[in-house]
Amino acid sequence: MSCAEGRRGAGCGRGGGKLRGAGKVRRPSLNDSLEGDIRAFLIDEDQLHTYDDLTKVNPVTPTTVLKCLQARYRVKVFYTHAGCTLVALNPFQPIPHLYSLDVMKEYHCAPQPQEFKPHIFIVAEEAYRNVQGQVEPVDQSLVVSGESGAGKTWTSRCLMKYYATVAASSSASSSASSSASSSSSAVKSQTTVERIERRVLDSNPIMEAFGNAGTLRNNNSSRFGKYIQLQLDRSQLLVGASVQTYLLEKTRVSWQTANERNFHIFYQMMKGASDEQRKKWRMSQEQSFAWLPNAEKSVEEDCFEETVEAMVHLGIHAERQGQIFRILAGILQLGNVNFSSVDESQPCELEEQSKVFLQRAAELLCVPVEELQTCLRVRMLKAGKQSVLKPCSQAECSVRRDCLAKVIYAQLFDWLVTFINSSICADDSTWRNFIGLLDVYGFECFQMNNLEQLCINYANEKLQQHFVAHYLRAQQEEYVLEGLEWSFVKYRDNQSCLDLIEGSPTGVFSLLNEECRLNRASDAKTFRVRLQKQLSDNANIRWDKFSKEPHFIVTHYAGKVRYQIEGMMEKNKDPVPPELIDLLQESDNLLLHQIFTDKDAENPTTKGLSKVTVVSKFKNSLESLMKILHTTTPHYTRCIKPNPDCKPLTFKKEEVITQLAACGIVETIHISAAGFPIRIPFQGFLQRYGPISKSSLFKSWPHGADVEADVLRPAVDDLLKVVLRNQPPDPSPQPDTEPHSSLVHCGRTKVFLTQSMLELLEDQRKTILSQKAFSIQCCWRRYQQRRRLARGRAATQIQAVVRSWLVRKQLQRWHQAATVIQTSWRMWTALMNALAEAELDDTEDLVVEDTALLNAAVMDGGSVQLSTFQEPVMVRGWPVGLALASAPSITVSLTATGFQKMMSVMASLAPSSRRGGYKVKTNQYTQELASIRAQPRGSVKLHYRRSPLLHADKHPDLKRDGVTGFNQILLEKTL
């Protein structure tokens, strides 16, 4: 019977045994009602796909859970909550819209992502918010488990993409909200986050190309385990990452089971390399390689360009890439080298074609072909201080060839992991917390199972035990310690299986290591006898008495697996001949030389034969991983493989129910549905939900950090009474039980809540906070309005005061200016009057007898001849020389030279009248002007009825009535 069939039979026996046994025992009071409930639940199949959480299924049985998952899978709903875990069914086909960027943002920006449909992004967001919202942030771990082909690698890839996207969006939001002064630092931070995001995502294609392969159960099976730590700073931004790997299946390089493939990178090189690259790597189109079976099969992962692009983004330059691909091409050439032996005393011979392959391998690995051939055909034995060369048999030559290929590939893989960590890992001072993603190989059961499958299944047993210890066992024990009336739900504990494998001194690993350390040839039959002798009392191991091959059968939590003992000791020893290491250290390939030189420097005492066995190394690394998981808050995702053939949207009941029983999904649902998944200490409960209670107990309870639970208990009871006051009573109350005990239970130090009770508390808290917020908003708005009104009044008063002050100052300035103008005008007017009076009234009269004649002449408007004066006389007139505006002509003949000044002014002004121009003549100067201020012998006083100030107009109008402006006013005042 095959392993898969055995597991299905065992699963069916466990799933259906209860029903058959119930029919024999005949318990109508219990089983008949249970069957009736199941039939009543399953009668409405159209509604089965609506159960987002399997804890709502009633009753919870393998049949009802299976039917719900099948109904949801039929309508293409692949995620379902199962208490504290998330069940993910593999659709075996691309669903792009389910993991788009818009969906990521929708779950990340949602206030309550749990209200959305079940999705892997809900688990990711819950872990992210736990780091973000805790007072003391706790590191988170996302444990993705399941069988090979269940979709663990794809789930881990989606989680990494989600966190990279969330970190980038958070950085962009913080950059957008930053001030202008810090814009340069914000842009720099955004660039750093995007660079880390790109490198973290680019590490996936490289790790999958070098660490994944196609198996019978999965086209992209992880052949190594990895734990990725996404490092977050205090702002929960992604600043780096680190990768830890566990047990690479390096034997796959040189040996593959029928219908399986080698690592993806070899097929990528074969299908994606250019002609020039093929020429460099000595890989022609028509050449076939013994270590590349099923090369004609194409899978989605055979994308060479994507791997090369990821290398470039991580900083692996073209020269280093060339060195890597030459090493890989050399490994493929080694696989075509075959040996033949005629005489065992002589070294094995190479076939003609194998010599060509060996020559190519030596050229690609950059080592001398003669030394390479010698290391493969001859081994060196040390006897004291002497070395003895001994020819190897044909089988030994093949083993040494395979060993060379495996050690090169394993060291190259380790170098890649180290390089990736150096590219994406942040300094310890820059990150504070991390979110870990665990992606390990799933439970495996093949026709031929050896040491690799034993280690892989052991790792899955450890993860299952972690789940059992953390949830199934610890949660129920906590109920008892807190005083809850709890009847334990039975579950499958795999601790006995772990004791069988890792027990000391009588465990499979211990006996295997002891067998390898004995200085004798390993014998499979002897080891089987020893296992039977030491471990016969353990119920998890047995032997097939009718099988001639040495083997042992282990009953794992997921089923029974038969392991072949032949070759197990050699694989555990993992010996590497020292002459091969020396040869590789002398290689001219810089990368190959660096890898083995650094390895020898790190482990100088382990050169040649390994001192630490494979199982010891794997066990130690797995224990360190479990320590990390125990210090973090775990989040479980159970990946389910719906059919063994990887067909899209095909649901096989037998396959699914076996996996559900193996990973304890039904038990998890039972505990989650019957128990209290939310547990909050008293102090934290009061701090969050205390505002709901209005009693004096809440206001007076001590708020210190070290308050005893007995002191806080009354306040917690009072708060719960307030919350449950408006809830309907239990229709079937039990005596001596607390009311609403199905929703909440108050333990000794913690409050235990169901999900519905938590929702009720959150709703009431939200209502109270909304009311308080509304009150605060009202008070704040009232304060703002009053403050705004007071500011308006104050501003109006200030404006009035300032305006009045400005008006007063303006009036004062106007008054001062008016006073100055008046004073100046009065002074000027007085001065002008004084000058006029002095010139007109204070002058000495001329000859009396001549005055009348002069005035008559002036009054008549005729010419005035002053040439009769023999001597200069004083002529005094008004300022600026009063022109005789009304006289048609005036002839002035004076001998006095002082009069020239006044006459020159009058001539320059060119006065004119309505009757004609003035004519001025002097006695001394025929064509010159004489001043009006000349002093003749007697005084001359001129009086006119009309104003003589026509000189105010520079060019007066010669019309009859052309006197205008200021002259007209003066004329009106004068006449």
Short mmCIF file of all heavy atoms in Angstrom, two decimals, residues 734-759:
data_model
loop_
_atom_site.label_atom_id
_atom_site.label_comp_id
_atom_site.label_asym_id
_atom_site.label_seq_id
_atom_site.Cartn_x
_atom_site.Cartn_y
_atom_site.Cartn_z
N GLN A 734 -28.38 28.06 34.19
CA GLN A 734 -27.97 26.96 35.03
C GLN A 734 -27.81 27.46 36.46
O GLN A 734 -27.35 28.59 36.69
CB GLN A 734 -26.64 26.36 34.54
CG GLN A 734 -26.71 25.78 33.14
CD GLN A 734 -27.55 24.53 33.07
OE1 GLN A 734 -27.67 23.82 34.06
NE2 GLN A 734 -28.14 24.27 31.90
N PRO A 735 -28.14 26.65 37.42
CA PRO A 735 -27.95 27.09 38.81
C PRO A 735 -26.47 27.16 39.15
O PRO A 735 -25.66 26.41 38.63
CB PRO A 735 -28.66 25.99 39.63
CG PRO A 735 -28.68 24.79 38.72
CD PRO A 735 -28.77 25.31 37.35
N ASP A 736 -26.17 28.09 40.04
CA ASP A 736 -24.80 28.27 40.54
C ASP A 736 -23.83 28.61 39.40
O ASP A 736 -22.66 28.24 39.44
CB ASP A 736 -24.29 27.00 41.27
CG ASP A 736 -25.17 26.67 42.45
OD1 ASP A 736 -25.79 27.60 43.02
OD2 ASP A 736 -25.26 25.46 42.79
N THR A 737 -24.28 29.27 38.40
CA THR A 737 -23.38 29.72 37.33
C THR A 737 -23.57 31.21 37.14
O THR A 737 -24.63 31.77 37.40
CB THR A 737 -23.67 29.00 36.01
OG1 THR A 737 -25.03 29.23 35.64
CG2 THR A 737 -23.43 27.50 36.14
N GLU A 738 -22.55 31.84 36.69
CA GLU A 738 -22.58 33.26 36.46
C GLU A 738 -23.43 33.57 35.23
O GLU A 738 -23.49 32.79 34.29
CB GLU A 738 -21.16 33.80 36.25
CG GLU A 738 -20.28 33.62 37.45
CD GLU A 738 -18.90 34.20 37.19
OE1 GLU A 738 -18.73 34.84 36.13
OE2 GLU A 738 -18.02 34.03 38.03
N PRO A 739 -24.14 34.70 35.22
CA PRO A 739 -24.91 35.07 34.04
C PRO A 739 -23.97 35.36 32.87
O PRO A 739 -22.90 35.91 33.04
CB PRO A 739 -25.67 36.33 34.49
CG PRO A 739 -24.85 36.88 35.61
CD PRO A 739 -24.25 35.70 36.30
N HIS A 740 -24.44 34.98 31.67
CA HIS A 740 -23.69 35.23 30.44
C HIS A 740 -22.30 34.60 30.49
O HIS A 740 -21.34 35.14 29.96
CB HIS A 740 -23.55 36.74 30.18
CG HIS A 740 -24.87 37.43 30.02
ND1 HIS A 740 -25.60 37.39 28.86
CD2 HIS A 740 -25.60 38.17 30.91
CE1 HIS A 740 -26.72 38.10 29.01
NE2 HIS A 740 -26.74 38.57 30.24
N SER A 741 -22.19 33.46 31.16
CA SER A 741 -20.88 32.80 31.23
C SER A 741 -20.44 32.29 29.88
O SER A 741 -19.27 31.98 29.69
CB SER A 741 -20.93 31.65 32.23
OG SER A 741 -21.93 30.70 31.84
N SER A 742 -21.38 32.16 28.93
CA SER A 742 -20.99 31.73 27.60
C SER A 742 -20.29 32.82 26.81
O SER A 742 -19.65 32.55 25.79
CB SER A 742 -22.23 31.25 26.83
OG SER A 742 -23.17 32.30 26.70
N LEU A 743 -20.43 34.07 27.26
CA LEU A 743 -19.82 35.19 26.56
C LEU A 743 -18.52 35.65 27.22
O LEU A 743 -17.56 36.01 26.53
CB LEU A 743 -20.79 36.38 26.50
CG LEU A 743 -22.08 36.17 25.70
CD1 LEU A 743 -22.97 37.40 25.81
CD2 LEU A 743 -21.77 35.86 24.25
N VAL A 744 -18.49 35.63 28.54
CA VAL A 744 -17.34 36.18 29.25
C VAL A 744 -17.18 35.43 30.56
O VAL A 744 -18.15 34.92 31.14
CB VAL A 744 -17.54 37.70 29.50
CG1 VAL A 744 -18.77 37.94 30.35
CG2 VAL A 744 -16.31 38.33 30.14
N HIS A 745 -15.95 35.33 30.99
CA HIS A 745 -15.65 34.73 32.29
C HIS A 745 -14.53 35.53 32.92
O HIS A 745 -13.51 35.82 32.27
CB HIS A 745 -15.25 33.27 32.16
CG HIS A 745 -15.03 32.60 33.48
ND1 HIS A 745 -16.04 31.97 34.17
CD2 HIS A 745 -13.91 32.47 34.24
CE1 HIS A 745 -15.56 31.48 35.30
NE2 HIS A 745 -14.28 31.76 35.37
N CYS A 746 -14.73 35.85 34.17
CA CYS A 746 -13.74 36.61 34.92
C CYS A 746 -12.91 35.64 35.74
O CYS A 746 -13.40 35.04 36.71
CB CYS A 746 -14.42 37.64 35.80
SG CYS A 746 -13.29 38.82 36.55
N GLY A 747 -11.66 35.45 35.34
CA GLY A 747 -10.78 34.54 36.04
C GLY A 747 -10.11 35.19 37.23
O GLY A 747 -10.55 36.21 37.77
N ARG A 748 -8.99 34.58 37.64
CA ARG A 748 -8.29 35.12 38.81
C ARG A 748 -7.47 36.36 38.47
O ARG A 748 -7.38 37.28 39.28
CB ARG A 748 -7.37 34.03 39.39
CG ARG A 748 -8.13 32.84 39.98
CD ARG A 748 -7.19 31.89 40.69
NE ARG A 748 -7.91 30.81 41.35
CZ ARG A 748 -8.14 29.63 40.79
NH1 ARG A 748 -7.70 29.39 39.56
NH2 ARG A 748 -8.81 28.70 41.45
N THR A 749 -6.90 36.38 37.29
CA THR A 749 -6.07 37.52 36.90
C THR A 749 -6.43 38.07 35.53
O THR A 749 -5.94 39.13 35.15
CB THR A 749 -4.57 37.12 36.87
OG1 THR A 749 -4.38 36.07 35.92
CG2 THR A 749 -4.11 36.69 38.25
N LYS A 750 -7.30 37.36 34.78
CA LYS A 750 -7.61 37.76 33.41
C LYS A 750 -9.10 37.70 33.17
O LYS A 750 -9.84 37.00 33.87
CB LYS A 750 -6.89 36.87 32.40
CG LYS A 750 -5.38 36.95 32.45
CD LYS A 750 -4.75 36.02 31.41
CE LYS A 750 -3.23 36.08 31.47
NZ LYS A 750 -2.60 35.18 30.47
N VAL A 751 -9.51 38.41 32.15
CA VAL A 751 -10.89 38.35 31.67
C VAL A 751 -10.88 37.55 30.37
O VAL A 751 -10.14 37.89 29.44
CB VAL A 751 -11.46 39.76 31.44
CG1 VAL A 751 -12.89 39.68 30.92
CG2 VAL A 751 -11.41 40.57 32.71
N PHE A 752 -11.71 36.52 30.31
CA PHE A 752 -11.78 35.65 29.14
C PHE A 752 -13.02 36.02 28.33
O PHE A 752 -14.13 36.03 28.87
CB PHE A 752 -11.83 34.18 29.56
CG PHE A 752 -10.56 33.71 30.21
CD1 PHE A 752 -10.34 33.93 31.57
CD2 PHE A 752 -9.58 33.07 29.48
CE1 PHE A 752 -9.18 33.50 32.18
CE2 PHE A 752 -8.42 32.63 30.08
CZ PHE A 752 -8.21 32.85 31.42
N LEU A 753 -12.81 36.30 27.05
CA LEU A 753 -13.89 36.80 26.21
C LEU A 753 -14.03 35.95 24.96
O LEU A 753 -13.05 35.40 24.45
CB LEU A 753 -13.62 38.26 25.79
CG LEU A 753 -13.28 39.27 26.88
CD1 LEU A 753 -12.81 40.57 26.24
CD2 LEU A 753 -14.48 39.51 27.76
N THR A 754 -15.26 35.88 24.48
CA THR A 754 -15.50 35.33 23.16
C THR A 754 -15.42 36.47 22.14
O THR A 754 -15.38 37.66 22.50
CB THR A 754 -16.88 34.66 23.09
OG1 THR A 754 -17.88 35.66 23.38
CG2 THR A 754 -16.98 33.53 24.09
N GLN A 755 -15.42 36.11 20.89
CA GLN A 755 -15.33 37.12 19.85
C GLN A 755 -16.57 38.01 19.85
O GLN A 755 -16.46 39.23 19.66
CB GLN A 755 -15.17 36.44 18.47
CG GLN A 755 -14.93 37.42 17.33
CD GLN A 755 -13.63 38.16 17.46
OE1 GLN A 755 -12.64 37.62 17.93
NE2 GLN A 755 -13.63 39.41 17.04
N SER A 756 -17.75 37.42 20.11
CA SER A 756 -18.97 38.23 20.15
C SER A 756 -18.95 39.20 21.32
O SER A 756 -19.40 40.35 21.20
CB SER A 756 -20.19 37.32 20.24
OG SER A 756 -20.11 36.50 21.39
N MET A 757 -18.42 38.76 22.46
CA MET A 757 -18.32 39.65 23.62
C MET A 757 -17.32 40.77 23.35
O MET A 757 -17.54 41.93 23.74
CB MET A 757 -17.91 38.85 24.86
CG MET A 757 -17.90 39.67 26.14
SD MET A 757 -19.54 40.30 26.54
CE MET A 757 -19.18 41.41 27.88
N LEU A 758 -16.25 40.45 22.68
CA LEU A 758 -15.28 41.48 22.33
C LEU A 758 -15.90 42.52 21.40
O LEU A 758 -15.68 43.72 21.56
CB LEU A 758 -14.06 40.83 21.68
CG LEU A 758 -12.95 41.80 21.25
CD1 LEU A 758 -12.33 42.46 22.47
CD2 LEU A 758 -11.88 41.08 20.45
N GLU A 759 -16.69 42.05 20.45
CA GLU A 759 -17.37 42.99 19.56
C GLU A 759 -18.35 43.86 20.32
O GLU A 759 -18.48 45.06 20.05
CB GLU A 759 -18.09 42.21 18.46
CG GLU A 759 -17.15 41.47 17.50
CD GLU A 759 -17.90 40.60 16.51
OE1 GLU A 759 -19.15 40.55 16.60
OE2 GLU A 759 -17.24 39.98 15.64
#
